[in-house]
Amino acid sequence: MKRTKILDALNAQAPADTIRIMGWVRSKRDNKGFSFLALNDGSCLGTIQVIVDHTPETEEALSRTGTGASVAVTGSLVESPGQGQKWEVRGKTLEVVGEADQETFPLQKKRHSDEFLRSIAHLRPRTNKFGAMFRMRSHLAQAVHKFFADKGFFYIHTPIITGSDCEGAGEMFRVTALPAGSREPVENDFFGRPSNLTVSGQLSVEMFALSLGDCYTFGPTFRAENSNTPRHAAEFWMIEPEICFADLTDDMDLGEEMIKYLVGYMLDNCAEDVELFAKWVDKTLMPTLTTILKEPFERLPYTEAINILKKTKKQFEYPVEWGMDLQTEHERFLCEEKFKKPVYVYDYPKIIKPFYMRMNDDDKTVAAMDCLVPRIGEIIGGSQREERLDVLTARMDEVGLDKEEYWWYLDSRKFGSAPHAGFGMGFERMLMLVTGVHNIRDVIPFPRTPKSLEF
């Protein structure tokens, strides 16, 4: 008989004489003559109650059924006399698909700390919180693709292995096919030149925006940065749209529209899971998300943001000076205390931004923007790109980049260059925004961080 998912069983419109469900036992309670099982199969947050009579046919299976075991139950779907549940299953047959050793199974019917659950990341999706988290992650990824598809964007698969450093920071993971400890010259390596895991697909997707118009890439990116903050990981996913014949204002408009769309999508399609986080993780989650949906984002130049930060009486760990990159404490002050909503800061000093950002007329700032949101700080970083060949090459000389390494990028400015803009949104940070979770390690299935490669 075909399996019915527990989500569908719980949402059934009528009883069923015969139903087959399969899932993992969240709890088992034995009474005289029968047992209660609470089953969850991951299709939703809820469990369904199963009542199995103690009969010669079920006793052996019941004796091997404990918390964490996977079972298959065939029976009837009936109205439940208990409160808080519409349906329950009266089990006729019980089959143990996979036993769980009760002496060593680490998940019990109690709240476990996030730190403990990270140590058993292979099992944490079995908990309510992380089951909800990774259902939401799946829905959010689908929402990203739907947003761009509905707007006529083309999805571009950009390289994971690259010879270019988009950010110019040098904090990249090397890729090599040479044996460990080899002293062979790089010319003998697989690609014949230094190669790395990508930090961004931006430079590649720019080429397609200058051919196909509006494009985006969405995939894994990597930073070999020895950072143990709650916002950073060595492997993470980036959403990177690029829009042609567009300027910085168009870029900010797209980012704001996208964030609002994704928040609304999650509230509409993951209401039960969002409610779990609003109740148990962050009491301010729903007001924060409501404000994002209803309020226009604040927009102010970097210089004005610096002046606001310098004038406030709040004491910051990092002193505020024009020319510095904003720290998380500054970003959060602006969006949580000063404006109490998301904030765009734009026109940053060129000295703290990459070479490809369009130079402003003042020759001191570039047409760059960051979108700051409550609890997280920066969620989007983007810019109008420098489409003028002479300005771009001068900027590359200024920062010491080898133009021969970027010959193909410069070609795009020689052959039909056009104004264009784009941004990168951290997918995990977006997930942190819609769940209220504070640590990036808890929104990635198997987080990759310094000294951590356990799974």
Side-chain angles (χ1 to χ4, degrees), residues 137 236-237 426-433 440 443-444:
R137 185 178 174 109
F236 54 99
W237 286 63
F427 180 63
E428 282 78 20
R429 291 191 184 182
M430 186 67 212
L431 197 54
M432 290 165 71
L433 178 65
I440 195 171
V443 299
I444 301 178

Side-chain angles (χ1 to χ4, degrees), residues 334-380:
L334 290 171
C335 58
E336 293 175 15
E337 299 183 45
K338 175 63 179 177
F339 295 105
K340 295 182 171 57
K341 61 180 179 179
V343 176
Y344 272 117
V345 177
Y346 62 91
D347 288 349
Y348 279 80
K350 68 177 183 179
I351 58 173
I352 59 173
K353 290 298 182 181
F355 72 96
Y356 52 75
M357 296 186 173
R358 195 181 200 276
M359 188 71 67
N360 288 328
D361 293 340
D362 61 12
D363 202 36
K364 295 196 310 181
T365 63
V366 290
M369 61 82 171
D370 288 341
C371 183
L372 318 176
V373 294
R375 287 188 290 96
I376 296 163
E378 180 194 339
I379 194 171
I380 281 176

Side-chain angles (χ1 to χ4, degrees), residues 198-354:
T198 186
V199 299
S200 169
Q202 177 208 312
L203 301 188
S204 298
V205 83
E206 274 190 60
M207 303 303 99
F208 280 80
L210 289 166
S211 301
L212 303 181
D214 297 342
C215 298
Y216 76 105
T217 186
F218 177 18
T221 51
F222 308 85
R223 299 281 172 91
E225 182 179 357
N226 190 13
S227 177
N228 272 300
T229 78
R231 301 192 313 153
H232 293 92
E235 178 184 337
F236 54 99
W237 286 63
M238 286 282 284
I239 306 156
E240 297 179 281
E242 198 73 26
I243 47 179
C244 202
F245 306 106
D247 60 17
L248 189 65
T249 298
D250 299 318
D251 206 23
M252 290 190 283
D253 289 345
L254 178 66
E256 181 169 346
E257 182 185 358
M258 182 178 177
I259 290 175
K260 289 178 181 287
Y261 175 90
L262 294 177
V263 168
Y265 184 98
M266 298 304 283
L267 290 175
D268 290 342
N269 292 276
C270 303
E272 185 181 42
D273 289 333
V274 172
E275 181 58 35
L276 178 143
F277 290 98
K279 182 177 181 181
W280 297 106
V281 175
D282 184 356
K283 302 290 186 183
T284 69
L285 179 60
M286 293 309 295
T288 297
L289 299 182
T290 300
T291 297
I292 288 172
L293 288 176
K294 291 184 176 180
E295 294 284 335
F297 292 6
E298 189 69 31
R299 301 185 184 189
L300 71 158
Y302 168 89
T303 299
E304 184 179 335
I306 290 293
N307 290 336
I308 289 172
L309 292 167
K310 291 181 78 170
K311 289 177 182 178
T312 182
K313 295 179 181 179
K314 185 179 179 70
Q315 295 296 310
F316 295 113
E317 180 182 353
Y318 295 92
V320 178
E321 293 295 337
W322 197 95
M324 69 175 295
D325 206 356
L326 297 182
Q327 300 296 315
T328 303
E329 59 176 342
H330 308 136
E331 296 169 344
R332 292 188 60 179
F333 171 80
L334 290 171
C335 58
E336 293 175 15
E337 299 183 45
K338 175 63 179 177
F339 295 105
K340 295 182 171 57
K341 61 180 179 179
V343 176
Y344 272 117
V345 177
Y346 62 91
D347 288 349
Y348 279 80
K350 68 177 183 179
I351 58 173
I352 59 173
K353 290 298 182 181

Side-chain angles (χ1 to χ4, degrees), residues 78-94:
V78 299
E79 289 189 26
S80 175
Q83 290 189 343
Q85 53 191 16
K86 184 178 180 181
W87 304 108
E88 64 185 25
V89 173
R90 296 280 179 169
K92 295 185 176 69
T93 67
L94 172 68

